[in-house]
Amino acid sequence: MQYGFLQKALITSVMVGIISGVIGCFIILRGMALMGDAISHAVLPGVAISFMLGINFFIGAVITGILTAIGIGFINQNSRVKNDSAIGIMFTAAFAAGIILITFMKSSTDLYHILFGNVLAVRPSDMWMTLIVGIFVLLSVYIFYKELLVSSFDPIMAQAYGLPTKMIHYFLMILLTLVTVASLQTVGIILVVAMLITPASTAYLLTDRLSVMIVISATCGSISAVIGLYLSFTYNLASGATIVLVATALFFMAFIFSPKQGLLWRAIRTNKQKSAVS
Amino acid sequence: MKDAIVVSNLHVSYYGKEVLHDIGFTITEGKSVGVIGPNGAGKSTLLKVLLNLIPKDKGEITILGSTLKEVRKRIAYVPQRSTIDWDFPITVKDTVLIGTYPTVGLLKRPGRKERELAMKCLEKVDMTEFQNRQIGELSGGQQQRVFLARALAQQADLFLLDEPFVGIDATSEEMIVKILKELRDEGKTIIVVHHDLNKAEKYFDELLLLNKELIAKGSVEEVFTPKMISKAYGGQLSFLDGVMDK
């Protein structure tokens, strides 16, 4: 097929849109948006080391991602340093180490593409890897939906009836690093956080049920991927950035027009009430 | 009568600061017990230590004749309302359904039986008509009733409630008190962290008066005396005089 590269790019981006949308829901509901940003940056040294050793970069990425998450938890629990500061300290350190490591490697994969993605250069092996990761992530969420729900909503109750909430936290961090690595080529490290947070926040404004939120979020993520890819290909724009801006546009539509939460209906309801009493 | 909770020699601290000092008491099954004491007395901490949500420095805790690990699923805990994210995308019905999660077990979903149980509990707190509302749309009293329904759905033998009457309307308070009394009459053990001295004597069989140390524990008549109360509250509460004269 003539546009084979485009097909691979499309399948990969849609998958990334779906899984980051799904995981993103749990990230924002647990108030971990900053953590999502941190982990996505923290995979950089892992990716670099994996390239040097010639192993699959998912392995290195998960290791440095989880080490950073543990480091953040450790600093947070053992000092008066606040959580957001602990996150800032650890992820910038990991990211800086990653940049230095990458300058050592003189391979063809350059820093720019890891940071900002290059979806049109997706190889078949990358596509399959993304699909496998995607299926793993979706299955995990499906199987542990109940546990993820209760530990996000009421962690104290979850802990009280014996759920290993810490383990669930780190399991979610593992899923997060997998999603990040899967997104590397589509949107790149820097913008992964947008794919995690923006579609999920859009969905958050549109529904009052977690299961529905997950579906809407995944849909927004994949729609952003398709439209973004189309625009980036047609107008020769950076693919990751275009996808993210489409996701942002969807968010603002929900922000304004959401039936329950949107600015517009809120204003209309407020005015109606005001004129009713006056 | 079997013992629901036996605590002895319990010490708890946060970062080296002692919060509970040498606490020891026994609560028999089928009693409702109010835990009272001034702010910072360690009331909520005591509940959390019982559930091992906070580690203890020292001491023995026996719950329902066994270790916590064995009986976790027979305990229902209602956290303080302020610790809940009321914007969470969840409906009233699904919140109550969470109460069935501990018994449903890993990898399984609540089925029809669990849904029916949740609806029954929702009916008990008179919140059926709100079942499809998002929890943040309810009043404080309604929210507390929903969380009590969730605890009921856990079909527990021991109920721990942390400040359930804070910021709620009189109707809801009455209803919660009534349900707690029914549970007690069924032989369940109820422990409630409570701040309002005014009603403490009406609501509970026994009181546990706390201020870092155990000041007194026993029947309401034994504990709810001016001497004991002022010992726990120190000079903090001069308005108490009015209460105690009644």
Side-chain angles (χ1 to χ4, degrees):
Chain A
M1 188 177 164
Q2 204 180 348
Y3 286 113
F5 71 96
L6 199 56
Q7 198 179 23
K8 284 197 289 288
L10 192 64
I11 294 173
T12 312
S13 327
V14 167
M15 198 67 200
V16 165
I18 292 172
I19 56 176
S20 52
V22 170
I23 291 299
C25 288
F26 294 103
I27 300 298
I28 69 161
L29 289 174
R30 287 167 167 254
M32 290 180 6
L34 190 57
M35 195 69 173
D37 199 20
I39 299 301
S40 58
H41 282 77
V43 303
L44 187 62
V47 171
I49 293 170
S50 303
F51 270 121
M52 285 175 183
L53 300 177
I55 55 173
N56 189 306
F57 49 64
F58 276 94
I59 299 169
V62 167
I63 292 173
T64 53
I66 291 300
L67 280 180
T68 309
I70 292 173
I72 290 166
F74 188 78
I75 293 183
N76 189 32
Q77 277 158 27
N78 293 291
S79 73
R80 64 188 288 182
V81 173
K82 298 235 172 13
N83 194 38
D84 54 347
S85 306
I87 290 173
I89 293 165
M90 289 308 289
F91 97 74
T92 48
F95 194 59
I99 290 175
I100 289 178
L101 283 172
I102 282 194
T103 53
F104 281 135
M105 57 183 220
K106 295 181 176 74
S107 84
S108 54
T109 334
D110 65 308
L111 184 62
Y112 186 83
H113 283 161
I114 294 177
L115 294 185
F116 299 106
N118 182 18
V119 73
L120 298 179
V122 169
R123 293 166 302 175
S125 61
D126 300 328
M127 184 182 78
W128 291 116
M129 206 62 212
T130 306
L131 283 179
I132 292 167
V133 167
I135 290 166
F136 177 74
V137 169
L138 294 179
L139 264 183
S140 303
V141 171
Y142 180 77
I143 292 172
F144 296 110
Y145 178 75
K146 189 160 96 320
E147 284 70 27
L148 285 168
L149 166 63
V150 64
S151 64
S152 305
F153 174 51
D154 190 350
I156 304 180
M157 178 203 171
Q159 219 182 333
Y161 84 75
L163 276 191
T165 46
K166 261 203 185 134
M167 226 163 80
I168 294 174
H169 171 79
Y170 286 115
F171 181 63
L172 200 59
M173 292 298 106
I174 290 178
L175 295 183
L176 187 57
T177 56
L178 292 178
V179 170
T180 303
V181 179
S183 319
L184 278 188
Q185 289 198 295
T186 321
V187 289
I189 281 181
I190 308 270
L191 291 176
V192 166
V193 68
M195 293 308 285
L196 289 166
I197 293 167
T198 311
S201 300
T202 309
Y204 184 58
L205 293 178
L206 294 173
T207 177
D208 284 335
R209 300 180 65 120
L210 178 59
S211 50
V212 181
M213 178 177 164
I214 291 173
V215 173
I216 296 179
S217 177
T219 310
C220 282
S222 45
I223 289 177
S224 310
V226 174
I227 298 179
L229 202 58
Y230 171 79
L231 292 177
S232 104
F233 186 66
T234 313
Y235 300 104
N236 196 23
L237 307 168
S239 57
T242 316
I243 292 172
V244 168
L245 285 181
V246 173
T248 316
L250 290 177
F251 171 77
F252 277 104
M253 275 162 66
F255 182 66
I256 296 168
F257 297 112
S258 159
K260 216 165 166 183
Q261 313 283 347
L263 280 187
L264 189 64
W265 304 126
R266 269 196 185 174
I268 291 174
R269 276 198 301 270
T270 313
N271 277 336
K272 249 192 192 161
Q273 181 62 25
K274 271 186 188 158
S275 50
V277 288
S278 63
Chain B
M1 265 296 174
K2 281 188 284 181
D3 291 332
I5 295 180
V6 183
V7 171
S8 64
N9 198 16
L10 178 69
H11 292 257
V12 180
S13 62
Y14 278 129
Y15 305 113
K17 198 175 149 237
E18 197 162 49
V19 191
L20 292 174
H21 177 81
D22 197 17
I23 306 280
F25 60 86
T26 301
I27 291 172
T28 41
E29 281 185 18
K31 293 275 185 217
S32 76
V33 181
V35 180
I36 54 175
N39 284 335
K43 306 185 294 281
S44 297
T45 304
L46 179 63
L47 284 200
K48 287 184 178 152
V49 173
L50 291 178
L51 287 164
N52 200 22
L53 299 174
I54 294 175
K56 55 181 193 276
D57 293 341
K58 194 179 151 190
E60 301 293 322
I61 299 175
T62 310
I63 298 185
L64 300 169
S66 185
T67 58
L68 177 70
K69 223 178 159 184
E70 304 286 320
V71 297
R72 264 191 194 283
K73 287 178 182 165
R74 293 168 61 199
I75 307 173
Y77 173 67
V78 179
Q80 279 185 34
R81 219 151 46 77
S82 58
T83 62
I84 299 295
D85 171 13
W86 297 103
D87 287 326
F88 199 92
I90 191 167
T91 58
V92 166
K93 194 169 55 180
D94 288 343
T95 306
V96 179
L97 194 61
I98 286 180
T100 67
Y101 281 12
T103 44
V104 168
L106 209 65
L107 307 183
K108 291 197 198 113
R109 308 255 154 139
R112 218 177 110 186
K113 202 180 81 193
E114 282 78 19
R115 286 179 194 284
E116 279 169 10
L117 171 65
M119 287 313 291
K120 237 172 63 194
C121 298
L122 207 49
E123 213 168 290
K124 222 170 183 173
V125 297
D126 198 18
M127 287 293 293
T128 313
E129 58 173 309
F130 297 98
Q131 56 172 300
N132 290 317
R133 294 279 191 91
Q134 194 267 335
I135 49 166
E137 294 167 19
L138 308 176
S139 74
Q142 292 171 329
Q143 289 173 341
Q144 197 67 58
R145 272 147 64 189
V146 169
F147 271 70
L148 180 61
R150 185 181 77 173
L152 294 175
Q154 286 185 253
Q155 300 186 299
D157 295 312
L158 172 62
F159 290 78
L160 306 177
L161 295 90
D162 200 347
E163 300 269 21
F165 304 120
V166 168
I168 75 174
D169 56 287
T171 321
S172 296
E173 181 158 343
E174 246 169 63
M175 185 183 292
I176 292 171
V177 169
K178 194 181 122 235
I179 291 173
L180 291 181
K181 285 199 169 143
E182 283 169 14
L183 285 171
R184 181 208 55 193
D185 293 342
E186 289 166 24
K188 318 283 192 191
T189 312
I190 320 284
I191 301 179
V192 179
V193 167
H194 188 63
H195 71 293
D196 186 0
L197 283 174
N198 256 314
K199 290 170 180 160
E201 56 179 332
K202 269 188 270 164
Y203 286 176
F204 309 109
D205 302 328
E206 295 184 350
L207 292 177
L208 205 150
L209 189 55
L210 203 65
N211 191 359
K212 288 189 177 138
E213 296 178 21
L214 185 67
I215 307 293
K217 191 252 151 221
S219 69
V220 171
E221 296 77 38
E222 286 168 337
V223 177
F224 208 68
T225 62
K227 197 179 135 208
M228 290 297 182
I229 298 288
S230 64
K231 196 173 159 198
Y233 284 79
Q236 280 183 44
L237 293 182
S238 48
F239 72 80
L240 256 184
D241 303 343
V243 177
M244 302 311 299
D245 291 341
K246 275 194 246 172

